[in-house]
Amino acid sequence: MKIVGLTGGIGSGKTTVAIFFKALGVPIYIADVEAKKLMVKNTKLKNKITALFGLDSYQNGELNRKYIANLVFKDPEKLKDLNNLVHPAVAEDFKQWVSAQNAVYVVKESALLFETGDYKNCDVVILVKAPLDERVKRVIKRDNTSRELVMERIYQQWPDEKKESLSDYIIENSDILLTKNLVSNINVKLLNII
Ligand code: ATP
């Protein structure tokens, strides 16, 4: 089975595109969603997170997001440490998930596919793009957040120019119907070349 990596900056429309693939029958794995689940249900990972951040990391079995967000916001090294715990757990979970799928290819959506080096494990990479101001507007609306916080996250990600040369397909996600058609065309191509 082939692995198709799907990535793009915050607010570009990765999840929207992933859902279009799903509607065509392609199994999709959303790394961010699975990471959040693993942080709650994977005991080994939970223990490591507690060892790193203390007992306040969990409250009634739920991840204390505010507490952890506060700590990693103040200390980038701690964010690295957290990522170093979560990424291997997600990689292992993804491996198991893939082995349970029955399809020509699967789509793995990850915001940091390039930044983590995970793109090297993919057979094909799809990059979703949208104009920066449009992305900021979408995220402010979706998350009810501020421009400053969105920009902070954008600065932590690679610029699109750096990602483009490493991508096999680029989806310019402005007009949603065009995006849907493009996904359908890419699916046909992938089914034929893979
Ligand atoms: P993140 O990195 O934060 O997970 P993402 O890249 O997965 O973001 P989405 O969640 O798919 O992005 O899209 C961000 C928001 O923009 C959503 O509310 C979505 O409905 C909306 N959106 C996606 N594509 C378009 C589009 N072409 N036109 C207008 N709105 C869009």
Side-chain angles (χ1 to χ4, degrees):
M1 189 156 1
K2 301 288 181 184
I3 313 293
V4 175
L6 174 65
T7 192
I10 177 171
S12 58
K14 293 177 294 297
T15 303
T16 305
V17 166
I19 289 165
F20 287 153
F21 274 103
K22 191 176 182 193
L24 297 171
V26 180
I28 63 165
Y29 184 97
I30 314 257
D32 196 39
V33 170
E34 300 308 323
K36 283 183 180 137
K37 282 191 208 158
L38 288 169
M39 283 194 264
V40 179
K41 69 168 199 209
N42 181 321
T43 313
K44 260 196 206 162
L45 180 60
K46 262 179 98 170
N47 289 343
K48 287 181 188 164
I49 292 173
T50 307
L52 181 65
F53 293 114
L55 286 170
D56 286 341
S57 305
Y58 291 88
Q59 266 176 344
N60 307 321
E62 289 299 318
L63 189 71
N64 190 345
R65 281 182 202 290
K66 253 197 180 151
Y67 169 77
I68 290 183
N70 220 346
L71 289 182
V72 299
F73 185 70
K74 277 191 264 175
D75 185 350
E77 277 304 309
K78 283 255 188 280
L79 178 60
K80 251 196 202 159
D81 293 342
L82 178 64
N83 284 335
N84 286 339
L85 295 182
V86 176
H87 284 145
V90 174
E92 183 54 40
D93 183 67
F94 178 67
K95 230 167 133 185
Q96 281 179 21
W97 177 83
V98 167
S99 64
Q101 303 308 313
N102 180 15
V104 175
Y105 73 95
V106 298
V107 166
K108 180 184 194 182
E109 187 221 289
S110 167
L112 302 176
L113 196 76
F114 288 114
E115 289 84 344
T116 58
D118 193 24
Y119 71 98
K120 293 177 190 148
N121 303 318
C122 300
D123 300 287
V124 172
V125 172
I126 301 173
L127 174 67
V128 184
K129 280 179 61 180
L132 191 74
D133 56 333
E134 183 64 31
R135 288 166 53 196
V136 174
K137 264 193 233 159
R138 287 177 192 169
V139 179
I140 291 175
K141 192 172 160 205
R142 186 194 61 190
D143 298 347
N144 195 15
T145 181
S146 71
R147 186 180 175 85
E148 288 67 37
L149 285 176
V150 180
M151 288 311 291
E152 223 163 70
R153 287 184 56 193
I154 286 178
Y155 290 138
Q156 285 165 8
Q157 302 180 334
W158 283 17
D160 281 347
E161 302 76 65
K162 197 170 165 187
K163 296 174 181 171
E164 278 169 30
S165 57
L166 294 165
S167 302
D168 300 290
Y169 295 94
I170 296 174
I171 296 178
E172 295 273 359
N173 174 34
S174 291
D175 179 326
I176 199 80
L177 287 176
L178 287 181
T179 298
K180 198 174 179 189
N181 284 336
L182 209 49
V183 169
S184 185
N185 294 343
I186 293 174
N187 176 52
V188 172
K189 282 191 185 140
L190 291 176
L191 289 174
N192 284 313
I193 62 161
I194 280 179

